[in-house]
Amino acid sequence: MSQLKIYNTLAREKQVFTPIEPGKVGMYVCGMTIYDYCHIGHARMMMAFDVIYRWLKVSGYQVTYVRNITDIEDKIIKRAVENGESIFSLTSRFEKYMDEDTAALGILPPDVVPHATAYVPQMLSIIAQLEQKGLAYKSEDGDVNFAVRNFPGYGKLSGKSLDDLRAGERVDVNAGKRDPLDFVLWKASKESEPDEVKWDSTWGSGRPGWHIECSAMSCATLGQHFDIHGGGADLQFPHHENEIAQSEGAFGHPMTNYWVHNGFVRVVNEETQVAEKMGKSLNNFFTIRDVLKLYDAEVIRFFILRGHYRSPLNYGVANLEDAKSALTRLYTALAGIDSGAAALEVDWNEAHAIRFRDAMDDDFNTPIAIAVLFDLATELNKSKSVEHARQFKALAAVLGLLERSPQEFLQAGVEEGGMDEAAIVDAIARRSEAKKARNFAESDSIRAGLLAAGIVLEDKPDGTSNWRRA
């Protein structure tokens, strides 16, 4: 039996996973800063850790999955003020939208969802410990900053030395800091800011810096030392580097054993066919909601899972269309086979399942696991075996795939201006009558018209026809 190996960003290698407490896993993932709709890059991050969460549970672990909500931050304040609404009104609305979008994509909810505003006392406690150890200081402008050069291990996650870090690139230049590399732990209040973002503290009225939020929430929900800390590759530096400095500086021991980061989403320019970094500043990002208007949610899920979570993922029309066609092939393999209504369980001793497990135990290698599903689909196309179909669906369900009936997927969705089901059924009935009357020209014409409307007919030996959307 294979052992689970995880690529640890800190160690820069795959390592055998050994939990701190046998049989249990604590996993913290940096979640959303909620002031706008989630985009496809956010979906990629949440999908990556959804699969990790699922596989850890399939592997028999009792998992506590924590994914936080940042509901106090500069961008949130700015947007709320612009909208003329409260911070709570803004963040609660977009948290609701996020939950709707992730549910549509089959992303399981975390076990614990801490909100930053509920953990300010814990943040202040950590800041006080850092100050006592000479790792934090109050500057002339009222902010409390972390003294980076006083923490010997700074840079170990990102691989950056202090000499590599120059002011004006990835760090804020602030006259109140002793060193340009220092980062803020507590921001002094400004008169122009709403009262709801002001908390009392030893250092005066203010609000937390972004980095301290996750140190406090992870510690409060999982303890000072836990198994897995995850997030997007863009958080590796400075956010996660700063988390390590804060948590290890305050508590004096490692924060987490395995650092896990998912890769970026790149947008394929439809004119040049060149993949470019996705970003709001480049105006080339796509919200989950907008993509769901164009593609079935399971197609999007399948598209994301076909790439390894650590690899860059190219987003483009051709990529999504290819994913749609590939997922259709998997569903088509199940068409006409009754796998039963009972809950399906994987036979982990079966050859395909062994390969599937080996792939998932190798740093959650979903592309190889999906390749196993295609091999099993080929077997199923030949055998039409109910046993193969049940194993096929059970393995796919581990990844949150193939959980609908083939008919439901293949006939799902009506594009704008397209044919609804009633019109399709009527056209098939008219074609059947034409065939009975041996009016083959009319029959062919109806079939061609349906195909032009994106409806594919599959004639069966008994004279009836199945249909699916192209």
Side-chain angles (χ1 to χ4, degrees):
M1 184 175 176
S2 59
Q3 287 183 295
L4 174 59
K5 293 182 178 180
I6 300 176
Y7 185 88
N8 186 350
T9 308
L10 181 62
R12 292 166 180 75
E13 65 178 5
K14 291 181 192 176
Q15 297 179 324
V16 172
F17 178 66
T18 304
I20 296 168
E21 184 177 348
K24 295 185 178 181
V25 178
M27 180 170 73
Y28 182 93
V29 174
C30 290
M32 297 298 102
T33 299
I34 44 175
Y35 66 98
D36 207 340
Y37 293 106
C38 293
H39 56 61
I40 202 71
H42 298 140
R44 206 282 166 93
M45 179 276 291
M46 289 186 281
M47 191 81 74
F49 291 97
D50 175 67
V51 168
I52 291 173
Y53 180 41
R54 287 169 181 262
W55 186 248
L56 288 169
K57 293 202 295 183
V58 166
S59 299
Y61 292 107
Q62 180 183 330
V63 186
T64 302
Y65 174 22
V66 182
R67 192 182 73 219
N68 76 290
I69 292 289
T70 293
D71 57 351
I72 178 64
E73 197 260 352
D74 291 350
K75 297 185 184 71
I76 294 173
I77 298 170
K78 182 175 184 291
R79 181 65 59 85
V81 170
E82 288 173 349
N83 291 355
E85 64 179 322
S86 70
I87 302 293
F88 178 77
S89 171
L90 175 71
T91 57
S92 59
R93 183 170 74 255
F94 281 105
E95 182 177 1
K96 174 177 176 289
Y97 296 152
M98 178 192 72
D99 290 342
E100 291 171 353
D101 291 345
T102 54
L105 294 176
I107 294 171
L108 300 175
D111 299 298
V112 185
V113 183
H115 292 62
T117 51
Y119 290 83
V120 174
Q122 290 87 339
M123 298 174 203
L124 292 172
S125 175
I126 295 175
I127 296 170
Q129 292 179 67
L130 292 171
E131 185 179 50
Q132 291 168 8
K133 294 185 177 184
L135 292 170
Y137 61 92
K138 184 177 180 180
S139 61
E140 294 178 2
D141 60 8
D143 290 351
V144 179
N145 298 312
F146 187 93
V148 166
R149 293 187 185 274
N150 291 356
F151 180 72
Y154 196 84
K156 63 183 178 181
L157 180 67
S158 59
K160 298 176 182 291
S161 69
L162 296 182
D163 292 336
D164 292 334
L165 301 171
R166 297 193 301 269
E169 291 187 355
R170 297 293 299 275
V171 294
D172 294 328
V173 177
N174 185 314
K177 295 179 180 179
R178 295 175 183 171
D179 188 294
L181 300 180
D182 294 348
F183 58 89
V184 67
L185 299 167
W186 187 254
K187 293 188 175 186
S189 295
K190 296 180 176 65
E191 288 188 14
S192 60
E193 293 176 339
D195 289 342
E196 63 179 319
V197 298
K198 297 176 182 178
W199 285 266
D200 292 330
S201 80
T202 304
W203 306 280
S205 175
R207 58 186 169 90
W210 177 42
H211 308 300
I212 195 65
E213 294 179 357
C214 284
S215 284
M217 286 185 281
S218 62
C219 176
T221 54
L222 294 175
Q224 295 179 7
H225 184 207
F226 53 95
D227 297 291
I228 299 172
H229 194 317
D234 57 317
L235 299 184
Q236 184 177 337
F237 182 85
H239 185 53
H240 288 164
E241 193 75 70
N242 291 350
E243 277 191 66
I244 289 175
Q246 294 163 161
S247 295
E248 297 188 4
F251 306 132
H253 56 71
M255 177 186 188
T256 189
N257 287 354
Y258 301 85
W259 284 92
V260 180
H261 295 93
N262 65 275
F264 293 108
V265 173
R266 302 184 301 197
V267 176
V268 177
N269 185 305
E270 296 301 329
E271 293 183 4
T272 64
Q273 290 301 300
V274 174
E276 306 166 339
K277 181 181 177 181
M278 186 182 73
K280 288 189 176 182
S281 61
L282 301 173
N283 198 32
N284 66 345
F285 69 97
F286 299 86
T287 68
I288 297 172
R289 297 213 149 191
D290 286 342
V291 181
L292 283 170
K293 293 174 185 176
L294 302 174
Y295 290 94
D296 182 274
E298 191 173 356
V299 170
I300 301 170
R301 182 178 184 89
F302 182 78
F303 157 69
I304 294 174
L305 297 184
R306 286 179 88 185
H308 190 278
Y309 79 91
R310 285 194 291 113
S311 301
L313 182 69
N314 290 345
Y315 174 90
V317 172
N319 309 81
L320 281 161
E321 288 295 334
D322 184 60
K324 179 181 177 181
S325 297
L327 184 58
T328 297
R329 292 200 301 275
L330 293 182
Y331 266 111
T332 300
L334 287 166
I337 304 174
D338 184 5
S339 57
L344 303 178
E345 293 187 7
V346 176
D347 174 6
W348 290 108
N349 294 315
E350 187 266 337
H352 293 89
I354 291 172
R355 290 171 52 210
F356 186 99
R357 180 183 285 280
D358 287 345
M360 293 301 292
D361 277 346
D362 184 16
D363 195 32
F364 315 104
N365 198 326
T366 55
I368 299 299
I370 288 173
V372 173
L373 294 181
F374 276 100
D375 288 345
L376 192 48
T378 299
E379 296 274 349
L380 186 57
N381 283 328
K382 295 175 184 176
S383 69
K384 300 298 180 183
S385 160
V386 171
E387 182 181 351
H388 279 157
R390 291 177 64 83
Q391 179 77 334
F392 181 44
K393 286 200 69 172
L395 278 174
V398 171
L399 300 178
L401 298 171
L402 304 186
E403 295 184 315
R404 290 179 281 178
S405 70
Q407 181 179 8
E408 185 181 353
F409 173 80
L410 296 172
Q411 297 181 359
V414 181
E415 295 182 6
E416 187 175 349
M419 297 181 71
D420 61 21
E421 184 172 348
I424 295 167
V425 171
D426 177 68
I428 291 173
R430 288 188 288 106
R431 179 172 177 262
S432 179
E433 290 301 316
K435 287 171 69 178
K436 289 178 183 178
R438 302 187 67 79
N439 187 347
F440 299 118
E442 176 67 9
S443 170
D444 291 344
S445 175
I446 293 172
R447 184 186 187 103
L450 286 168
L451 185 60
I455 306 302
V456 178
L457 297 185
E458 296 168 350
D459 293 332
K460 299 168 63 178
D462 62 3
T464 61
S465 300
N466 289 334
W467 65 272
R468 63 177 175 83
R469 298 190 187 274

